[in-house]
Amino acid sequence: MSNAVDTGPDATTARRLAADAERVVVKAGTNSLTDDDSNLDDAKLDKLVDDIAALRERGKEVLLVSSGAVGAGIGMLDIDEDRETVEESQALSTVGQGRLMHRYTESFGRYDTQVAQLLLTQHDLEDPERYTNLQNTIETLFEWGVVPVVNENDAVATEEIRIGDNDMLSSSLAVGIDVDLLVTLTDVGGVYTGNPKRDDGARRVAAVGENYDEIQDLVEDSSTDAFGGIRTKVQGARQVAEHGSPAIIAASDAPDVLERVARGEPVGTIFLPIDGDDDA
């Protein structure tokens, strides 16, 4: 398998679009916010906030979709994460969500920035009236200079109204509020030809465009999906690309990762926006 487009004009244009984005959704996964024992990692969270602040200092509006509530709850209560039931997971989210938002409030406070919590279910995304209200709330928060912090409402979500994955939540919001860029931060550096945690020969795919079917086949391989929950990240990025905006999957621990995106540098894996007339 080739390493995809890297320096071609389409990838260069997409990176420029990403750099020029005025409204950005940033999604941070659980592993990007917690340590090996599932405790909320203050250093990781502060780095994420620093990266978002760098975008805001450029005049960009940023909505943060943040995982980590259940993981934070596990760390606070010292519960064996391998033995938790659905009910325990929902209860853990209520404990961890408070801690998570407390830390975001503290960390963004270093930049005199306020945050707002939004907890959603699938019903909020599918019901037109509720979704319109959600869009209006987000627009108002942006006008006020507040950073919306979004997560699934695990405590009340049943199978029928559960979104199930913050990767899909972030892409749905990116499309719904017409953002210019989705950046999914994870514990790996992007999409790879194999599991980089086990395969030293795995290569990062620099860009995804006409090679999407090849990438889709790659991530459908169960052995590959073992890293970073990459399947839903690729699906979410593709959804945004089909809406006409670039999407990037990148490593959360990369130095100045969002600032480098804003400078148009090659970072992670970029999904090229798809023209409405393009079947790529």
Side-chain angles (χ1 to χ4, degrees):
M1 171 178 175
S2 66
N3 206 31
V5 183
D6 186 17
T7 58
D10 290 342
T12 300
T13 299
R15 284 195 285 268
R16 177 46 51 195
L17 286 173
D20 292 341
E22 296 181 357
R23 179 172 289 187
V24 183
V25 168
V26 175
K27 186 266 179 178
T30 298
N31 291 338
S32 300
L33 294 165
T34 56
D35 61 22
D36 292 340
D37 296 320
S38 295
N39 292 291
L40 195 61
D41 189 311
D42 286 340
K44 288 183 178 180
L45 186 143
D46 284 342
K47 179 191 181 301
L48 171 64
V49 170
D50 291 341
D51 288 335
I52 291 173
L55 292 185
R56 286 174 47 81
E57 287 171 3
R58 289 174 171 266
K60 301 177 187 297
E61 297 172 331
V62 181
L63 180 147
L64 171 61
V65 176
S66 175
S67 300
V70 173
I74 291 171
M76 292 176 68
L77 297 179
D78 195 27
I79 291 177
D80 184 351
E81 60 181 310
D82 294 328
R83 298 178 60 185
E84 65 188 70
T85 64
V86 172
E87 292 79 10
E88 287 174 331
S89 177
Q90 290 177 311
L92 283 166
S93 74
T94 66
V95 175
Q97 190 66 40
R99 171 62 177 164
L100 185 64
M101 287 306 301
H102 175 70
R103 282 294 296 120
Y104 276 131
T105 298
E106 287 183 332
S107 193
F108 275 105
R110 296 176 296 138
Y111 296 95
D112 295 323
T113 298
Q114 300 294 325
V115 297
Q117 175 180 262
L118 295 122
L119 298 176
L120 307 178
T121 67
Q122 187 67 34
H123 186 48
D124 298 312
L125 303 181
E126 293 179 344
D127 181 87
E129 183 175 356
R130 293 172 73 95
Y131 197 66
T132 297
N133 290 339
L134 171 63
Q135 290 172 310
N136 291 339
T137 296
I138 291 172
E139 292 293 343
T140 301
L141 292 172
F142 281 150
E143 290 175 7
W144 290 347
V146 175
V147 175
V149 181
V150 184
N151 197 356
E152 181 165 13
N153 194 344
D154 292 310
V156 302
T158 62
E159 189 65 32
E160 290 77 18
I161 62 174
R162 187 172 179 81
I163 300 167
D165 192 288
N166 273 344
D167 294 319
M168 302 315 296
L169 172 58
S170 60
S171 63
S172 295
L173 287 173
V175 170
I177 61 175
D178 288 325
V179 305
D180 307 304
L181 172 67
L182 167 66
V183 181
T184 299
L185 298 176
T186 183
D187 58 343
V188 292
V191 180
Y192 283 77
T193 58
N195 187 337
K197 296 181 178 180
R198 295 199 303 256
D199 181 2
D200 292 338
R203 293 169 293 150
R204 179 174 58 86
V205 179
V208 177
E210 293 182 353
N211 59 338
Y212 177 75
D213 289 342
E214 190 178 3
I215 299 303
Q216 185 66 23
D217 290 341
L218 175 68
V219 301
E220 289 296 330
D221 184 332
S222 59
S223 64
T224 302
D225 192 53
F227 71 93
I230 198 65
R231 184 181 294 118
T232 55
K233 291 173 176 56
V234 167
Q235 291 172 347
R238 176 68 170 187
Q239 180 177 329
V240 172
E242 289 176 342
H243 190 66
S245 297
I248 294 173
I249 299 173
S252 59
D253 61 356
D256 302 318
V257 58
L258 297 182
E259 176 66 21
R260 291 169 59 200
V261 170
R263 293 198 297 259
E265 297 179 12
V267 176
T269 299
I270 189 166
F271 286 69
L272 312 184
I274 299 169
D275 189 294
D277 298 326
D278 191 348
D279 296 325

